[in-house]
Each structure stands twice: as structure tokens, then as C-alpha cells.
Amino acid sequence: MVKLDVVRSANAALADGTKPFVAVVAGGTAGIGEATVRALAATFAGRGSGDGDRGFLRVYIVGRNREAAHKIIAECETACPGGVFRFYKGDLSLLKEVDRVCAEIIGIEQREADAKAAPAKIDFLVCCQGVLSLTVEESNEGLDKYFSLYYYSRMRLVERFLPLLIASPNGGHVVSVFNSSIQSSLVLDDLTLRNPRNQTLRTRFAHFVGMTNIFMEELARRNSGRLALCHYHPGFVPTNILNSSNLPWYLKFLVNYIVTPLSWPFWVPFEECGQRILFMASPARFPALEFKGTEAAAGKVKGVEIATGIDGKFGGGAYLVTKDDDTFGKEKKYDELRANGTAEKIYQHTMTVFAEIEASGVYKD
């Protein structure tokens, strides 16, 4: 367990930089995404004094609830007068919407960079979008919308933002919030889970987890020294995701009025959750693979040690992170998947899905 005061110290170090810190939070209008946005505002609150020194923190909030976003932005601007917070509405279950939002954000960052004769960059990307569902619902792009929310849209965000992420001085940092504690299990003969027998909740979630871990590790390998990726299990954070799901009323009742109250000693408070997610932007704890400044960065924050990656190596570049910012350590099965070509197969499948939807608007396998 990484103590919360160490987390806060490492986060404060992010705010001490001389260059603007740029973050994108997908699914940022509620729950864990909102907690992350508020953690950014609180951490950078001491920088600047108003309009004369704005822009050292730029946060792009992507989601569906415009009213909630405006409330969050107003409160964050009050807490952090030197920050700039912008909202972009989009249905992130559709890759064409992901592409549209990414293009708008990239355009703004490129204009900001051109005005200052500096390279455009994004330092931190957090993906929280998702809903709970017991059913499969195919979108007009040919993908299960829930599979897209938890995997395809998240990896598309990374792929679209990749040129700006790898331009970040300490390597771009990416967090996908799902459940890295689940034992992954891939359905290799049905990667998009078309077959009804592969559509149980347990099979789907285990498959989503496996796809995420493999694609992230492959991205870290292909962008060595420039990109760090974390798959984060936040623990029990009392969000309203259950109420917005299509689960039957009796399950909602059971969780809301029996499970949740009884589990309150194990809750992770929103504020702590936001701080722990922001900690994953720290090159001291989660460096990009073979990042040259790893040891120096770790030495700058007392109590911070370099994390162990999926590959079992310190500073492995791709990390399975617990709710306390520890890591689950080496996943031996991924050694086999790399050796037998499965990792390459999943990477190429994912890129093919992206290319076909971009070209024709629909994926057909």
C-alpha cells in the first residue's frame, strides 16, 4: 500500500513543473471521473492567481451530461483559478464520436502550442467511461456498445492521442479504470464476442480485462520510454453507476440497501480515489518502459518506489494497479501470449476494427 500522504506529495510534484499540465478525462461528469477532475483542480489550486496566469493546468472533460459538467467546471474554476476546464459532449460507445472529440482537443492543443512555439502534448489521459449491463446491445458501428465503452473506445482514445502523449516530457501517462483484479480469460476464436455463449457477464468482463492488459502492454513496448499505461482497480467507490444501469430492480435494491451499507468500512472515499488516480501520472512511481529519468524521478519524492509492471520488471511501462496504488505484479500468462503471437493478434485485431470503422462506419467480422 502506498500511503495517502506519499500520494499527495507525488501529486504536488506534478504541479511544481514549469510547463502546463494537460489532462483528458473521459467519463468525467460523474463518479470516479469527476473525482479525478476535482483532484486535478485541488492539486493545482496553489498555482496562479487568476486570469493573469491561466492555463498551467488544462483539463478536457468528455462525457454525456452537460449540466453536470458545467457544475463541476464552475466549482473547479473557483478552486483553481489558474486552471482551464473544458467540456466536450460525446457518446463514447461510438468510435466516430471518439474521433470527433479527439480531433477537437488535438486542434486546441496544437493552437496553444503554436502560440508558444512549443510542441503540442497531453500528459495524462484517464478513461472512466462505462455502464453496467447484463445484455448485449449492438451499435450502428457493429460493436457491442458496452464492449466499446470498456475497451475499444478507450484504446481508440490512446491511439488518437498517441502523438501528443509521447510528446510529454516524462512520457504520456494513461489510466483505464475498470477492474485489473479480475482473472483475465480471452476468447481467442471470438474476439468481438458475437457468439451468444460468450456473452455472459463473467465471460465478457474477463475478456475485456485480458484485451485491455495485452493491448496496453503492447503499446508500452512499441513506445518504449515514451508511454506508461495503468489498468486500475479502484475498489469499492460508492458511485451511482448501478442506478444508471439496466440491471433489474431487485439487484439494484439488494446492492443499494443491503450490500452498500454493509460494506461501508471498505469504501474508498471519492477524494482519495481521485488523488490515487492522479498519482498514476507520476513518473516516479509509474514510469514509461526504459524511461531514462526513472531513477532520478523516483528519488525526488520521499517514500515512492518504482512499480512492477505486468512483465514483472520494475518500471515495466504497463501496470495492473490496486486500489492502494500497489501493483498485482507479474502475470505469467502474458509471457506465453507474447511468445505464441497472441498479443500481436489482439493488437492487429484492434487496429483493424479502428481502420474499418473509420473507413466504412461499421465493423463486420
Side-chain angles (χ1 to χ4, degrees), residues 129-150:
Q129 67 267 33
V131 295
L132 287 176
S133 174
L134 295 178
T135 61
V136 172
E137 181 180 339
E138 188 170 299
S139 74
N140 58 21
E141 293 181 336
L143 299 173
D144 169 25
K145 66 183 295 184
Y146 308 108
F147 195 171
S148 185
L149 281 169
Y150 283 113

Side-chain angles (χ1 to χ4, degrees), residues 204-223:
R204 289 161 69 200
F205 272 30
H207 186 72
F208 299 169
V209 167
M211 295 280 280
T212 298
N213 295 347
I214 289 171
F215 195 80
M216 281 189 158
E217 190 179 31
E218 188 65 16
L219 282 175
R221 186 187 67 80
R222 289 169 180 259
N223 298 277

